[in-house]
Amino acid sequence: GYDTAPVTVERELTLAERGGRWYVAAEESGGDQLWDQGPVTVVRGAHSLVMGVGQDRARLRALADDADRAVPAVDAAWRGAWAHRVVIELPASLERMAGLLSAPAASYSGIAAVTTGEVGGAGAAPADRVIVNPEAYGTLGTLGRQVVLTHETAHVATRPYTSSATPLWLSEGFADWAGYRATDRTAREAAPELAHAVARGQLPARL
């Protein structure tokens, strides 16, 4: 009930004939699904569905609580239509996260979470997922976790209106704004890299 349309995943099967009968000798896909990695534990929140592999239920419940605070925060920031709910996957490790994203683990070692799904289209993104890095997310404090999940939930909300032509300063800037707007952090505290660049005179010529 969380996805707006069925999701199709391509898999490549290698068939072999043995003794006059055909067998599936190998199976490959573009990336793992969470349930390919082991038994899935599911926790439902008021605005969230959290699925984990190799994680205890208490950690999944805490993640659902964070997500249930993130959705109203995004509602307050985003006036466009969206589902007002979020699906989160928590794999067992950074390596397993990379398997879900079909990418090297090093690409996500310092990233707490990412949002995946189809961009653009007719307003229906059938399989948006927030995939959490259990290692990086686990190092964050209460505020950091809330900012991260609100940021990623903002991507879920705006995904149908986003395309490859959307500039990163806009999509990432809005998500950061949504994440920080209800906190007491100043712009200098929320974006220290930008503050340092401005202090050095490294200003963009244009957006």
Side-chain angles (χ1 to χ4, degrees):
Y2 270 74
D3 291 342
T4 58
V7 179
T8 301
V9 178
E10 292 187 3
R11 293 185 179 270
E12 182 176 309
L13 303 179
T14 300
L15 306 179
E17 184 181 10
R18 297 171 186 160
R21 301 186 67 179
W22 287 94
Y23 297 88
V24 177
E27 179 182 10
E28 297 181 7
S29 68
D32 290 343
Q33 300 297 310
L34 187 67
W35 43 86
D36 292 328
Q37 299 183 352
V40 177
T41 302
V42 178
V43 169
R44 295 178 181 269
H47 307 289
S48 60
L49 181 70
V50 179
M51 300 180 288
V53 170
Q55 302 289 346
D56 62 65
R57 184 171 290 273
R59 189 174 190 188
L60 299 178
R61 170 51 60 191
L63 192 55
D65 291 342
D66 290 341
D68 285 344
R69 287 186 289 270
V71 169
V74 171
D75 280 339
W78 175 248
R79 304 302 170 85
W82 73 295
H84 309 283
R85 58 193 182 194
V86 62
V87 179
I88 301 174
E89 296 184 358
L90 183 63
S93 65
L94 168 61
E95 288 71 22
R96 291 300 182 89
M97 175 194 187
L100 295 175
L101 298 168
S102 302
S107 301
Y108 298 98
S109 60
I111 298 176
V114 297
T115 300
T116 66
E118 298 179 13
V119 298
D128 277 321
R129 301 284 185 267
V130 176
I131 302 179
V132 174
N133 177 351
E135 298 170 16
Y137 191 81
T139 67
L140 299 175
T142 301
L143 176 63
R145 293 194 300 271
Q146 199 59 58
V147 168
V148 164
L149 269 194
T150 304
H151 176 111
E152 298 303 332
T153 302
H155 283 314
V156 173
T158 59
R159 184 57 60 97
Y161 307 92
T162 305
S163 73
S164 58
T166 305
L168 284 177
W169 67 262
L170 178 57
S171 59
E172 294 298 331
F174 174 78
D176 265 356
W177 178 74
Y180 279 104
R181 68 191 297 266
T183 73
D184 59 357
R185 292 299 191 268
T186 65
R188 181 180 295 273
E189 292 170 332
E193 300 90 348
L194 179 59
H196 295 154
V198 171
R200 293 191 299 268
Q202 297 175 341
L203 303 176
R206 59 185 177 86
L207 289 175

